[in-house]
Amino acid sequence: MSQSAVKASGVSGVSGAPDAGRWKALVFIALAQLMVVLDATIVNIALPSAQQDLGISDGNRQWVVTAYALAFGGLLLFGGRIADLWGRKRTFVTGLAGFAVASALGGAATNEAMMFGSRALQGVFGALLAPAALSLLAVMFTDAKERAKAFGIYGAIAGGGGAVGLILGGFLTEYLNWRWTFFVNIPFAIVAAAGAYFVIREPKGGRNRSPLDIPGVILSTLGLVALVYGFTRAESNGWSDALTIGMFVGSAVLLLAFVIVESKVKAPLLPLRVITERNRGGIYLSLGLAIIAMFGLFLFLTYYLQIVKGYTPVKTGFAFLPMIAGMITGSTQIGTRLMTRVAPRLLMGPGFLVAAVGMLFLTQLEVDTSYAGVLLPGMLLLGLGMGTAFMPAMSMATMGVEPRDAGVASAMVNTSQQVGGAIGTALLNTIAASATTSYIADHIAGATSRSQQQLVQLQGQVQGYTSAIWFAVGILVVAAAIALTFVNAGRPGSGKAVTGSGAGEAAEDELPVPVVAH
């Protein structure tokens, strides 16, 4: 595609002058993204205290996490399409306001029904907020070098925010009470919404005013909810549970029907061109796999540090700081500096492999493992690798899409992360539980005293964690292979772009910026 063809296509922000307030806007977009990512882990730390206060049974406590995950994961594509239809700035501010109200309800909850309802409501508004935030970046930052910096910051927050949530959650729970893990969202949301309202100037001409694809909304929402719930239920009820199997079968049927509908309707919810382009398809897949590995690890390390090592919630949170430091360094220093110099696959592939090496360190965990000898280098490498890989992945996932598709392309990034998180927690937890049970059964007979039995129990738990982490290592290696194989775009601004979905279909184009209309 020539420069004149790009200009003729009417792509917002391509030929026009960039928005003068874009860097101020990034501050408020990043703040909103941090709030959403924090919420994924901050509530986990507070869950035991909230459960006790509200009288939630052990069987029902999972719904504090599941209600949010189902609403968020199920409605992301719909939220992305609303952003394209309604305007990204308006959707973003509405999402923030709704998230603040839902958080206030959660903090003020007096019973389990109110708690579950507020979490579901948080998920609904999060599904509006997350794709709107990412698509705003996609349409506001069009210069290759600026885009690299902006997505470096965004990638660091998307990757490291979960670990920050562990620190903040531990601090609030230990020194205030669990209700503050909800109330803390309110100032975040107010500042981000006010800043966005006054600073963000969304480029004109990027709306998708086609009628809403109602069958697509219903099929995608039900299909994703069934998939996320299937994995969540598998964690608590096992993979052979009849309802678990039914959810997976139902999800497969609904999502297949969704793809068929999207290929036939005039104005699809998710235009198949968004996911069939090989670079974006490879990114969604590799990113989802990496999140599977990472979410499982967060869970195991939190339990290992608190139960096996006896750390307090606050100390546990601070123990994750090397991972956050690694992510920030990988994303804002390595990824940002190299994004405009090398092809994205040469950051993503090696990044996932460095993270896999970090995971390898963590397979050596034992009951008496030293933090400095194993955990510190393992988490540092994991963060460094993930940060380096996340940054180009976030940028490339929305690169090359038409402005009218920016919302749903952004929603697919969040969907791959959300589904990956649900799969990771369920799959790796099941592997860990099975290995723990097997180890204890084999060794408990030789433990004659109570202290020896307790030691076997702890050794069994650690054996479970390391068994699951070995699987996570393999998953990261597969993610690296997919990134190196599928992602074949040249470096942004190099004059090389991938325009086809087939292997090796690279074309020499003169691109003034990385946003290209297909």
Side-chain angles (χ1 to χ4, degrees), residues 237-481:
N237 293 65
W239 296 91
S240 58
D241 175 69
L243 185 55
T244 301
I245 295 168
M247 284 291 162
F248 286 135
V249 172
S251 172
V253 171
L254 288 163
L255 292 177
L256 180 61
F258 171 67
V259 171
I260 294 168
V261 166
E262 297 308 275
S263 67
K264 297 186 182 300
V265 298
K266 189 178 288 186
L269 174 70
L270 175 63
L272 296 183
R273 62 181 175 267
V274 171
I275 54 172
T276 53
E277 197 277 302
R278 66 178 291 164
N279 287 280
R280 280 193 293 276
I283 282 164
Y284 297 146
L285 191 54
S286 61
L287 203 56
L289 286 169
I291 293 291
I292 288 175
M294 198 165 172
F295 261 62
L297 185 77
F298 270 158
L299 186 72
F300 300 138
L301 284 185
T302 302
Y303 278 116
Y304 174 78
L305 291 169
Q306 288 195 31
I307 295 172
V308 178
K309 304 296 280 185
Y311 283 22
T312 64
V314 170
K315 191 176 178 183
T316 300
F318 278 107
F320 280 96
L321 276 178
M323 190 186 294
I324 299 171
M327 279 184 179
I328 292 171
T329 304
S331 191
T332 63
Q333 299 304 311
I334 300 172
T336 300
R337 290 173 189 275
L338 295 180
M339 179 70 182
T340 54
R341 299 179 187 180
V342 302
R345 69 178 180 275
L346 299 180
L347 288 173
M348 290 179 65
F352 289 138
L353 289 175
V354 168
V357 172
M359 286 275 196
L360 270 175
F361 268 90
L362 300 173
T363 60
Q364 309 308 306
L365 287 180
E366 293 178 2
V367 172
D368 58 352
T369 294
S370 83
Y371 178 84
V374 175
L375 286 157
L376 178 62
M379 287 200 281
L380 201 56
L381 284 171
L382 182 67
L384 203 62
M386 285 294 200
T388 302
F390 270 20
M391 188 262 140
M394 291 287 183
S395 179
M396 282 293 296
T398 53
M399 191 180 287
V401 296
E402 300 174 39
R404 64 190 175 126
D405 295 335
V408 288
S410 302
M412 275 303 299
V413 179
N414 288 288
T415 301
S416 66
Q417 289 178 294
Q418 188 64 26
V419 172
I423 294 170
T425 305
L427 179 64
L428 296 181
N429 212 25
T430 305
I431 293 165
S434 176
T436 296
T437 304
S438 177
Y439 182 93
I440 292 172
D442 290 345
H443 294 83
I444 199 71
T448 52
S449 67
R450 183 172 178 79
S451 61
Q452 286 177 328
Q453 288 173 351
Q454 288 175 337
L455 181 61
V456 168
Q457 296 276 358
L458 290 176
Q459 287 171 336
Q461 285 186 34
V462 176
Q463 179 68 30
Y465 303 153
T466 55
S467 299
I469 292 169
W470 271 111
F471 273 86
V473 171
I475 290 168
L476 281 174
V477 171
V478 172

Side-chain angles (χ1 to χ4, degrees), residues 19 83 86-90 136 139-140 200-204 206-207:
D19 177 24
W86 200 26
R88 294 169 194 94
K89 176 178 173 177
R90 187 185 296 176
L136 275 170
V139 297
M140 291 179 77
I200 291 177
R201 297 287 180 269
E202 186 180 347
K204 293 178 181 178
R207 296 266 190 101

